[in-house]
């Protein structure tokens, strides 16, 4: 039986914090140059909400700005993220490529479902050549509801998935798994929270652990 694994991107495959502060500082420096921000870059606040769709990020970080200003900030931030990724300033988590190779060798299908925007995800997949293993990468932009459960459901429907797991670090990943009847594998990485991980079926501290977990899931 083919095993399908749907991976989150930020905080699961990609070490977002490597470029997060850099890109956010770039964006808020730009806002300061326009005289529309006079405080420090709200890095800590962003860390608290990382993983939510970007429109909600800007509602939180820029509560007193107009929707137009938030959209402009969103576009500039995305531009900085993509450029920083393309310059090699980011990093995958340890063992991503090794685990992907193992999964493909063992007849598993790999997908990515992320709250990140399409261009951002393309930049990561392209720079690290992830499409060598990943069947398809899905962005929350493809779902009108901006709900990760709906995004995972769309993957299941498109590829007729009947057996599989969702691998991610946040509650949105765990809920998306439960809503779609799959196994939830929580990643105890940088942005994970203990109270959220406690709701996952399995918790791992390193992606390498998937090599021992996968055979058990197939039984």
């Amino acid at each position: 039986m083919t095993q399908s694994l749907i991976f989150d991107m930020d905080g699961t495959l990609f070490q977002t914090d490597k470029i997060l502060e850099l890109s956010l500082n770039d964006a808020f420096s730009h806002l300061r140059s326009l005289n529309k921000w006079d405080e420090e870059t709200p890095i800590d606040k962003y860390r608290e909400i990382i993983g939510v769709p970007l429109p909600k990020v800007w509602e939180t970080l820029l509560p007193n700005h107009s929707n137009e200003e938030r959209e402009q900030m969103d576009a500039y931030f995305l531009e900085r993220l993509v450029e920083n990724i393309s310059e090699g300033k980011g990093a995958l988590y340890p063992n991503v490529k090794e685990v992907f190779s193992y999964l493909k060798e063992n007849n598993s299908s790999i997908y990515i479902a992320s709250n990140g925007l399409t261009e951002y995800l393309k930049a990561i997949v392209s720079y690290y050549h992830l499409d060598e293993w990943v069947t398809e990468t899905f962005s929350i932009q493809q779902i009108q509801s901006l709900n990760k459960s709906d995004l995972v459901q769309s993957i299941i429907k498109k590829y007729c998935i009947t057996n599989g797991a969702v691998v991610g670090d946040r509650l949105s990943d765990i809920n998306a798994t439960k809503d779609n009847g799959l196994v939830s594998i929580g990643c105890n990485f940088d942005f994970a929270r203990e109270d959220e991980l406690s709701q996952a079926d399995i918790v791992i501290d390193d992606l390498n652990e998937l090599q021992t977990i996968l055979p058990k899931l197939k039984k």
Side-chain angles (χ1 to χ4, degrees):
M1 182 186 295
T2 300
Q3 181 81 24
S4 298
L5 284 99
I6 302 172
F7 288 85
D8 174 45
M9 180 65 89
D10 292 317
T12 299
L13 298 176
F14 186 67
Q15 297 187 54
T16 314
D17 57 333
K18 298 281 187 186
I19 61 165
L20 173 63
E21 185 170 343
L22 181 64
S23 302
L24 206 62
N25 269 327
D26 289 344
F28 275 88
S29 291
H30 177 65
L31 205 58
R32 289 187 197 96
S33 73
L34 300 174
N35 295 316
K36 294 181 178 180
W37 189 261
D38 59 4
E39 301 174 34
E40 292 184 0
T41 302
I43 295 287
D44 290 339
K45 186 177 286 188
Y46 190 16
R47 286 182 179 275
E48 292 174 9
I49 59 172
I50 191 166
V52 304
L54 275 174
K56 297 189 177 184
V57 166
W58 301 117
E59 286 176 18
T60 303
L61 299 187
L62 301 173
N64 301 318
H65 290 66
S66 67
N67 284 332
E68 183 181 358
E69 288 171 324
R70 290 174 190 160
E71 288 173 5
Q72 291 171 350
M73 186 67 156
D74 190 28
Y76 187 83
F77 180 60
L78 176 61
E79 181 183 311
R80 296 308 307 149
L81 280 171
V82 169
E83 188 164 334
N84 286 325
I85 291 165
S86 300
E87 291 175 356
K89 295 177 180 176
L92 297 177
Y93 277 96
N95 305 313
V96 169
K97 293 186 176 182
E98 292 81 358
V99 168
F100 277 7
S101 294
Y102 169 83
L103 294 175
K104 291 297 284 187
E105 288 168 5
N106 285 271
N107 198 34
S108 294
S109 298
I110 302 170
Y111 308 92
I112 292 173
S114 172
N115 282 335
L117 300 182
T118 303
E119 289 306 310
Y120 167 71
L121 298 173
K122 279 183 180 177
I124 297 172
V125 170
S126 174
Y127 185 82
Y128 296 102
H129 307 290
L130 296 182
D131 50 5
E132 182 178 335
W133 304 280
V134 177
T135 301
E136 189 172 350
T137 298
F138 293 79
S139 164
I140 200 69
Q141 276 186 303
Q142 297 168 239
I143 299 295
Q144 190 171 1
S145 67
L146 297 182
N147 185 308
K148 198 155 195 181
S149 293
D150 295 338
L151 185 62
V152 169
Q153 184 181 66
S154 72
I155 300 172
I156 291 171
K157 286 183 176 179
K158 180 172 182 177
Y159 288 98
C160 301
I161 295 170
T162 57
N163 183 41
V166 175
V167 184
D169 65 318
R170 298 306 302 268
L171 188 60
S172 60
D173 303 303
I174 296 168
N175 287 340
T177 313
K178 292 182 177 180
D179 291 343
N180 288 287
L182 301 178
V183 175
S184 61
I185 301 176
C187 297
N188 187 23
F189 298 170
D190 294 320
F191 302 108
R193 296 184 180 181
E194 188 176 343
D195 59 326
E196 295 181 357
L197 288 180
S198 66
Q199 300 180 53
D201 296 314
I202 300 166
V203 176
I204 60 174
D205 296 307
D206 189 297
L207 290 170
N208 251 345
E209 294 175 48
L210 292 175
Q211 297 183 50
T212 57
I213 289 170
L214 181 63
K216 297 176 184 176
L217 295 181
K218 286 186 174 180
K219 291 180 181 179

